[in-house]
Amino acid sequence: MDIVTPALMKIGFMVTVIMLMVVVLFWAERKGSAFIQDRTGPNRANIGGVRLAGLVHPVADVFKLLFKEDVTPTHRHQAFYNLAPWLVMTVALATYAVIPFGDHLTVAGKQVQLVVADLEVGMLFVLAIASLGTYGVVLAGWAANNKFSFLGGIRASAQMISYELTMGLAVMGMLLVFGTFRLTDIVAGQGDLVWGFLPKWGVVVQPLGFILFIVAVFAETNRTPFDLPEADPEIVAGYHLEYSSMKFALFFMAEYAHMVVGAALIATLYFGGYQVPWLPRPVLEQHAGLLLTIKLIGVAVVAGLFAVLVLRRVQREKGKFGDARDREPLLGGLFWAAVAAAAVVGLLMKPMSIGPEGADLFASIVQVGAFLAKMVFFAWFFIWVRWTVPRFRYDQLMNLGWKVMLPLGLVN
């Protein structure tokens, strides 16, 4: 049980983070596209009249897909048709097993590594498991017995094979620099400094590899401008055209889960993972009291400022809508006021006198927070690119992969 319990807790933590990010990304995708296109975005779904700036919509989507009729094509291959969405979702979740989200956490005097499975061949595991997602997409396209779905599956398989070569070559540069396949060792190596002042992140030591990797990740996740397997104007919706209800929801969630996987890999390989620039773990533990005090003061000031601004808006727009929407800014102001109050309470507990155990916990929380912040940033980057850059033609996509990316990967 000493091994099983921590492993189950780490699995539960990572699955919870992934699924929460998937739900938030549903909302961020809609609101982000609305902002870029100068429109309001989702704001109709509500609970008791409260709309929470569209945050109720992901909840409404879940219930809608749960209760929708599961319409299936008559001449499908039933076993493969049913297997495909589960295979795609399982692959998306399994990839996280080797990605470290922190250094360690001390529990009852024992150090627990903050990674589910610290494999010596961690990077090979990621590439191998991610490749299995191609099978789910191809099975979905073929088993539905629809020509448009089949074309989407063929496109996806050709695209993934083409860009996985580039991804592998980009990663090889990192493996040669750090001399290991173990992701925990790669992240630990990025805690060093180059020339005494520059973090030894992958983007610094392998800038071309970073560009190749991030383009390959976009292609692997079928995100615009590489969403040719789903191109609506050409093949309607591609490989998941004949899926509905929760089977379609699994494909939909898997796409966003792959986004989070891609964001986590970019942060892990090229932006130091959980490492905080110029603040390695010994420094975090040594100056935990000072850093915690500064953090609490910053949170109190920023949250208090947000609360004042929101409450001023409440007064300025009082009675603007004449319904429950008038109360929403007040809820936001109370939320930020509560955050500021919690920070003040933390300051009253004398964080400067934090002990060794508290310092160790503080360092672990800061590292996990740094990893999650980087992951959220790159997940947002996926959304920003989708609603900014138009998709390629399929011949342009393949030419880029074979005639530009592959030679650059070999040179790198």
Side-chain angles (χ1 to χ4, degrees):
M1 289 299 293
D2 290 339
I3 298 175
V4 174
T5 303
L8 290 176
M9 292 178 67
K10 288 183 285 188
I11 291 170
F13 173 78
M14 288 305 294
V15 171
T16 302
V17 168
I18 296 167
M19 298 312 296
L20 284 176
M21 279 200 67
V22 165
V23 172
V24 172
L25 286 174
F26 289 169
W27 172 80
E29 182 91 69
R30 292 173 171 181
K31 298 299 284 190
S33 63
F35 176 78
I36 290 171
Q37 296 172 353
D38 195 22
R39 54 187 176 84
T40 303
N43 67 341
R44 293 292 186 271
N46 62 83
I47 298 176
V50 177
R51 310 183 185 206
L52 296 178
L55 278 171
V56 183
H57 275 262
V59 179
D61 287 338
V62 170
F63 282 99
K64 176 186 72 175
L65 290 168
L66 276 172
F67 293 104
K68 263 192 171 181
E69 181 182 359
D70 186 14
V71 181
T72 56
T74 305
H75 300 290
R76 69 193 184 281
H77 189 294
Q78 186 168 353
F80 290 157
Y81 178 87
N82 293 329
L83 174 64
W86 292 101
L87 179 59
V88 172
M89 190 63 188
T90 302
V91 168
L93 294 176
T95 314
Y96 277 90
V98 295
I99 299 177
F101 52 91
D103 187 0
H104 67 263
L105 179 66
T106 303
V107 180
K110 295 183 179 179
Q111 287 189 355
V112 178
Q113 299 299 314
L114 296 182
V115 58
V116 176
D118 188 14
L119 303 182
E120 291 186 6
V121 290
M123 197 60 230
L124 288 180
F125 175 86
V126 170
L127 295 174
I129 294 297
S131 300
L132 294 177
T134 311
Y135 289 96
V137 173
V138 174
L139 283 177
W142 176 80
N145 194 30
N146 179 297
K147 291 182 176 63
F148 291 110
S149 298
F150 184 63
L151 281 172
I154 293 297
R155 281 186 173 191
S157 60
Q159 180 172 314
M160 290 181 179
I161 290 168
S162 301
Y163 282 84
E164 274 180 1
L165 290 172
T166 299
M167 180 182 287
L169 290 172
V171 169
M172 281 178 65
M174 288 293 295
L175 301 180
L176 290 170
V177 169
F178 292 100
T180 179
F181 284 90
R182 192 192 294 265
L183 287 174
T184 51
D185 291 343
I186 292 174
V187 175
Q190 293 181 72
D192 299 333
L193 297 177
V194 180
W195 302 314
F197 70 95
L198 200 59
K200 193 180 178 181
W201 287 359
V203 69
V204 175
V205 298
Q206 278 282 291
L208 178 57
F210 163 68
I211 294 172
L212 296 173
F213 185 83
I214 199 169
V215 173
V217 167
F218 269 89
E220 289 289 296
T221 53
N222 294 330
R223 294 285 296 181
T224 307
F226 300 96
D227 64 336
L228 276 302
E230 307 171 21
D232 290 343
E234 302 166 26
I235 51 175
V236 191
Y239 60 91
H240 56 65
L241 170 61
E242 296 287 2
Y243 285 88
S244 59
S245 188
M246 279 308 295
K247 292 189 181 74
F248 170 76
L250 287 171
F251 281 116
F252 194 57
M253 290 189 294
E255 178 182 335
Y256 285 90
H258 279 300
M259 276 176 57
V260 183
V261 171
L265 281 175
I266 293 168
T268 299
L269 291 174
Y270 294 96
F271 286 86
Y274 56 78
Q275 298 284 1
V276 182
W278 306 289
L279 290 175
R281 189 178 182 97
V283 175
L284 288 173
E285 293 182 357
Q286 183 179 356
H287 303 285
L290 176 62
L291 293 171
L292 180 56
T293 302
I294 294 172
K295 182 177 180 180
L296 289 173
I297 292 173
V299 170
V301 171
V302 173
L305 181 61
F306 279 6
V308 171
L309 291 174
V310 172
L311 292 174
R312 285 183 62 185
R313 180 185 171 189
V314 171
Q315 294 298 320
R316 187 171 63 251
E317 299 182 355
K318 189 174 183 180
K320 177 181 177 180
F321 299 103
D323 56 28
R325 282 177 289 179
D326 292 328
R327 298 196 296 271
E328 290 185 23
L330 180 61
L331 293 175
L334 292 175
F335 169 78
W336 287 113
V339 172
V344 171
V345 171
L347 287 169
L348 294 176
M349 296 175 68
K350 299 179 180 180
M352 287 295 293
S353 60
I354 189 172
E357 294 182 357
D360 182 83
L361 177 62
F362 171 76
S364 298
I365 292 173
V366 169
Q367 288 186 331
V368 174
F371 173 75
L372 292 177
K374 295 172 187 177
M375 191 166 68
V376 168
F377 172 81
F378 285 107
W380 166 83
F381 182 72
F382 275 91
I383 294 171
W384 177 57
V385 169
R386 174 179 179 179
W387 296 100
T388 306
V389 182
R391 71 163 60 95
F392 299 127
R393 294 197 315 265
Y394 195 71
D395 61 310
Q396 293 173 329
L397 173 97
M398 300 305 286
N399 282 334
L400 176 66
W402 289 101
K403 296 181 180 180
V404 179
M405 301 279 289
L406 184 59
L408 285 175
L410 290 168
V411 169
N412 185 60

